[in-house]
Amino acid sequence: MDFSHTEFAFSRLSPFQMRRYALLFQLLQYRAWVQIGVAFLLQAHKWKLPIHRLVKRNLFQYFCGGETLQECISVLETLRSKGVGAILDYAAEAQSGEVAHARTFSLLQQTLAFCSTSMGPGFFGVLKLSALSEMQELENFDSWKSTPACETLRGRLRQLATQAEAGQGSLLVDAEESWVQGGIDALTLELMEAYNETRAVVYITLQMYRHDRMALLQQLVRQATEKNRYIGIKLVRGAYMEKERARADAQGSPSPIHATKADTDAAYEAALDFCLAHRDRVSVLVATHNEISTQRFVHQLLAEGISPQDSRYTFSQLYGMSDPISFTLAQAGFRVFKYMPYGPVADALPYLTRRALENSAMRGSANREYQWIRAEMARRRRAR
Ligand SMILES: Cc1cc2nc3c(=O)[nH]c(=O)nc-3n(C[C@H](O)[C@H](O)[C@H](O)COP(=O)(O)OP(=O)(O)OC[C@H]3O[C@@H](n4cnc5c(N)ncnc54)[C@H](O)[C@@H]3O)c2cc1C
């Protein structure tokens, strides 16, 4: 599969939008400037300076679907016309206080209802546990798990999973920093046991940059076989590498992250192989922008005679990134969903600044986006 065909992938962008897109990814390659820009935005937000327009017309426009579900509709329709679905992600993270948690819960319910009616069976909903509980509580899960507050959270999670199940959709639980992930995994596994009796309704996220995740995957399959359950896995490499390493260094403890990128890549591909080998139990959402992993897995599916429309296999890339991968896969008939954050600019700011920092930390990936955009601009010039 050739991901260098940019015409179809970028056909939704006007020449003006292409130029702005190119400028954005060019700027994201200057790490020091990105760090200064991010610090400025976060400070300006704290001081309540009027940055809404600046953020909305730049980062937000490229990485988020809209501020409300209504605003996302035209983007969703454009994607749908090209055979690409969307996973609407209410862009709140690390929310604090019961008022904020209750509000996030209600917005998640609204999002699931919207996805169920507008997308129909097979839709995906997604949540971040740090938006529904305190980081501190997740971090100290063993002492928190039997409190009334944790019961409230469990009740909310069950309501969301019930809603996804009733609409014949699935619910993805995002993975976060390793020090809160133990609590997130425990709560997600409880849900999987309750809801994954006949199919994978609830998906756990495995970050394969962690060296303990392959053992967890093997354990999940063993337990699911014993208990006659299905498993949904969202497979990612992991987004918090720098934070994880900094914390391990500060505490003088070993880092939970593989030592090299090659080790993470090998673990990611080994996990995909394992999921495929246990396909009687495992559904997998292949969440990556990595061309090699994607190509390799596509070849494996085809070699095994598995239909591109088999509901156990879904590919997903973030909205605003790797469109040539998403649209080429969709053109070839595979199930592809863009992971699309939405919500008020102020709520999306942590996600957007993380996007900017991650892109600037991985020069390769920001470069790859920039190369695709430049290739499409050159193709359009030649066509004129
Ligand atoms: C649909 C979708 C959903 C996602 N959901 C989550 C989520 O819930 N939780 C989460 O944490 N992330 C999530 N991510 C982000 C993901 O974890 C990666 O950060 C991002 O996709 C980049 O990895 P890649 O596989 O796309 O590509 P690549 O560019 O091939 O890989 C980059 C990744 O490799 C790893 N890496 C880079 N350098 C090194 C090194 N020196 N040593 C070890 N490892 C290294 C890091 O994980 C880095 O992010 C999601 C991504 C997508 C596309």
Side-chain angles (χ1 to χ4, degrees), residues 47 94 112 162 185 194 219 237 304 341 361 372:
W47 289 340
L112 284 178
T162 302
D185 288 342
Q219 183 194 327
R237 280 181 166 76
E304 297 280 345
W372 271 321

Side-chain angles (χ1 to χ4, degrees), residues 139 179 245-254:
E139 195 169 346
W179 48 98
R245 288 196 167 142
R247 181 169 157 126
D249 276 354
Q251 293 185 337
S253 51

Side-chain angles (χ1 to χ4, degrees), residues 44-61:
H45 175 59
K46 233 189 225 163
W47 289 340
K48 300 197 183 337
L49 297 181
I51 51 165
H52 178 275
R53 209 170 125 93
L54 172 75
V55 177
K56 187 154 185 187
R57 295 189 58 188
N58 292 287
L59 282 175
F60 187 92
Q61 188 187 343

Side-chain angles (χ1 to χ4, degrees), residues 284-300:
V284 58
L285 186 117
V286 185
T288 182
H289 305 128
N290 186 297
E291 288 171 73
I292 296 171
S293 301
T294 307
Q295 262 162 349
R296 188 175 168 276
F297 195 58
V298 162
H299 287 141
Q300 280 174 307

Side-chain angles (χ1 to χ4, degrees), residues 36-156:
I36 294 169
V38 163
F40 163 75
L41 284 179
L42 293 174
Q43 201 53 48
H45 175 59
K46 233 189 225 163
W47 289 340
K48 300 197 183 337
L49 297 181
I51 51 165
H52 178 275
R53 209 170 125 93
L54 172 75
V55 177
K56 187 154 185 187
R57 295 189 58 188
N58 292 287
L59 282 175
F60 187 92
Q61 188 187 343
Y62 292 104
F63 294 125
C64 294
E67 289 200 79
T68 60
L69 288 168
Q70 289 305 313
E71 257 185 53
C72 295
I73 288 176
S74 65
V75 188
L76 296 177
E77 278 169 2
T78 309
L79 292 178
R80 199 191 332 238
S81 70
K82 293 172 184 299
V84 175
I87 301 172
L88 281 167
D89 172 23
Y90 182 69
E93 9 189 292
Q95 298 274 303
S96 192
E98 172 50 23
V99 174
H101 299 153
R103 177 173 163 264
T104 305
F105 171 60
S106 156
L107 284 159
L108 287 171
Q109 287 181 304
Q110 287 168 34
T111 310
L112 284 178
F114 175 87
C115 293
S116 174
T117 37
S118 66
M119 301 175 192
F123 73 88
F124 286 96
V126 59
L127 62 88
K128 264 200 172 47
L129 271 163
S130 65
L132 289 167
S133 53
E134 304 294 330
M135 294 293 269
Q136 205 73 41
E137 294 168 342
L138 292 172
E139 195 169 346
N140 301 310
F141 187 71
D142 279 344
S143 51
W144 184 65
K145 65 185 174 195
S146 37
T147 60
C150 189
E151 260 326 295
T152 304
L153 174 61
R154 281 196 179 93
R156 286 175 176 165

